[in-house]
Amino acid sequence: MIERTENIETIETLLELYCNGESTLEQERTLEEYFCSADKVPARLEWARALFEHNAQQRAAECPNVVIDQSVVTRYALGRRMIRRMALAITSVAAIVTVGVYVWTELRRPYALINGERVYDVAQVVEVTTTHLASLENIMPKVEKGFQSVREAGTSTSAAWEIITKHQITNLLNK
Amino acid sequence: MTAHEFNKHIVPLGDKLFRLAMSLLHDRDGAQDVVQDIMESMWRRRDALSTVVSVEAYVMRSMRNLCLDRLRVARQREEHLHSVAHLTNTSVGAESGFDIKELVERYVSELPEQQRTILHLRDVEGYEFDDIGAILSMESSAVRVALSRARRQIRNKIQNALDYDRAH
């Protein structure tokens, strides 16, 4: 603290340090306190009063609270966290739905078992089926004829199957 | 950096950031905008802030860079200088009792940007030379020299204006 009247020399010494960039923060606070509270200063020091008053005025400016709301950051963080959780939940649900739809579609997809394997190609199934039906058409008259002979001989259906089987085995053995 | 740490270390810098922005932009609304922008920017980069040696210096440096970008785009400083010069030219002259506050503001705003920032950080915010050096990426001895030049220049200009006023 500088006494008002007797220390103008001290003030001027500090001002010289100040202008040389050699004063400490404490000395600069002393200068500001002096010039901001002095009723009258020598004319040669008016420049310093103007400058230190300007500095003090600048320091008094505060950022409006509306800009730096203490809760803004927290709200922002909470908002970000909620968005992250919602995104995670939405992604999880979307993944589950996608997998479910795929499995459901696969299970519902029509297929035919050919020689123990699933065949989804309709054209292939039609082709195989047509071939087999043609084969059946070739042998069905013979089968029917055989059954007719059996019925005429007065044999039961099961006995007829037995005769046919034995006949086929005999043919195979002969081959 | 958690929200709690952010509130503790970054948010309290709001007033300093605002004053620095004001000293560079000379625009209250613009200063508010850049403070808001820098806060949001720091929040987005909060993870990186944990690795910064001096968070305060980093934030102040970011603020200065952002303000300089805005100035380059808007050329607000030139407009401000023009308007203040017009005001002062009409007051310093035949009329006595000119506004010394406007005069100081004008002379400060006429300093080169680096000197103006150093003067603000030292005389308004009370930073040590090392801290100013960290903010501006300068040696503290260079900061001291630039500060001395700025103070002397302001002193001489105010003295000349006062002498002129007394003489007329």
Side-chain angles (χ1 to χ4, degrees):
Chain A
M1 172 70 76
I2 302 292
E3 292 300 325
R4 291 284 176 270
T5 52
E6 69 276 22
N7 284 316
I8 288 298
E9 284 183 10
T10 306
I11 290 295
E12 290 192 288
T13 304
L14 290 179
L15 275 178
E16 193 57 32
L17 291 173
Y18 173 81
C19 287
N20 291 338
E22 295 170 346
S23 52
T24 64
L25 285 173
E26 179 63 30
Q27 290 169 329
E28 289 166 16
R29 274 193 289 272
T30 301
L31 285 170
E32 185 173 297
E33 189 179 333
Y34 172 80
F35 284 109
C36 290
S37 60
D39 294 329
K40 190 171 176 59
V41 297
R44 64 182 183 282
L45 301 182
E46 277 291 343
W47 70 270
R49 175 150 76 174
L51 181 56
F52 281 106
E53 283 181 349
H54 172 265
N55 292 341
Q57 188 185 7
Q58 294 287 305
R59 196 177 304 111
E62 291 181 354
C63 194
N65 288 333
V66 66
V67 175
I68 309 297
D69 184 346
Q70 289 289 320
S71 61
V72 163
V73 170
T74 309
R75 281 208 306 271
Y76 186 66
L78 286 174
R80 287 284 296 270
R81 204 178 306 153
M82 276 184 66
I83 289 170
R84 226 174 12 242
R85 285 181 180 172
M86 281 180 67
L88 184 64
I90 289 169
T91 308
S92 304
V93 169
I96 290 169
V97 168
T98 304
V99 170
V101 167
Y102 176 78
V103 170
W104 184 78
T105 307
E106 282 297 306
L107 290 176
R108 301 268 303 175
R109 193 172 163 195
Y111 66 91
L113 268 178
I114 298 175
N115 295 330
E117 291 182 3
R118 290 187 176 193
V119 176
Y120 296 95
D121 185 5
V122 176
Q124 188 182 349
V125 172
V126 169
E127 184 185 345
V128 171
T129 307
T130 306
T131 307
H132 282 75
L133 281 175
S135 303
L136 283 173
E137 281 177 3
N138 288 335
I139 64 167
M140 279 310 288
K142 296 177 182 175
V143 172
E144 182 59 31
K145 190 176 177 182
F147 272 108
Q148 183 66 29
S149 304
V150 170
R151 274 196 294 275
E152 286 172 359
T155 312
S156 65
T157 307
S158 57
W161 270 118
E162 192 176 344
I163 290 166
I164 291 168
T165 307
K166 280 181 180 176
H167 179 71
Q168 286 178 337
I169 291 172
T170 304
N171 285 342
L172 283 173
L173 290 174
N174 289 337
K175 286 179 182 176
Chain B
M1 180 176 279
T2 63
H4 175 72
E5 290 169 332
F6 191 85
N7 267 321
K8 186 178 176 184
H9 299 297
I10 307 296
V11 172
L13 298 176
D15 288 340
K16 283 185 179 180
L17 293 168
F18 178 70
R19 288 191 289 264
L20 179 60
M22 279 284 289
S23 78
L24 292 170
L25 300 177
H26 303 286
D27 174 20
R28 190 176 179 82
D29 292 336
Q32 283 184 21
D33 288 344
V34 291
V35 171
Q36 185 70 49
D37 289 349
I38 210 77
M39 284 293 175
E40 289 181 8
S41 170
M42 290 301 128
W43 175 251
R44 283 195 297 272
R45 285 185 276 171
R46 64 191 182 284
D47 292 335
L49 289 179
S50 307
T51 61
V52 173
V53 177
S54 172
V55 173
E56 184 169 340
Y58 178 80
V59 176
M60 295 295 277
R61 186 165 58 241
S62 300
M63 170 55 88
R64 176 178 176 246
N65 292 337
L66 182 60
C67 289
L68 294 182
D69 286 344
R70 295 283 169 96
L71 282 174
R72 270 191 287 271
V73 172
R75 298 179 183 279
Q76 286 174 314
R77 180 162 181 253
E78 284 79 359
E79 291 171 9
H80 172 77
L81 285 177
H82 180 75
S83 60
V84 173
H86 174 72
L87 282 174
T88 316
N89 286 338
T90 56
S91 56
V92 179
E95 295 179 29
S96 60
F98 58 86
D99 191 340
I100 188 75
K101 289 180 182 176
E102 280 188 3
L103 202 62
V104 175
E105 187 180 344
R106 174 193 166 187
Y107 293 150
V108 170
S109 68
E110 283 178 345
L111 289 171
E113 184 278 323
Q114 190 182 65
Q115 287 185 15
R116 188 156 33 108
T117 303
I118 292 172
L119 191 72
H120 175 86
L121 292 175
R122 177 70 179 190
D123 285 357
V124 178
E125 302 300 346
Y127 280 102
E128 293 288 356
F129 291 112
D130 289 343
D131 297 328
I132 297 172
I135 292 170
L136 300 179
S137 304
M138 294 172 65
E139 293 292 328
S140 57
S141 56
V143 171
R144 198 183 287 271
V145 170
L147 181 66
S148 174
R149 284 185 184 146
R151 285 171 172 170
R152 285 171 180 275
Q153 195 171 335
I154 295 290
R155 180 192 64 184
N156 295 341
K157 284 186 174 181
I158 299 175
Q159 272 182 336
N160 289 341
L162 290 169
D163 291 344
Y164 181 89
D165 185 59
R166 286 188 201 103
H168 293 79

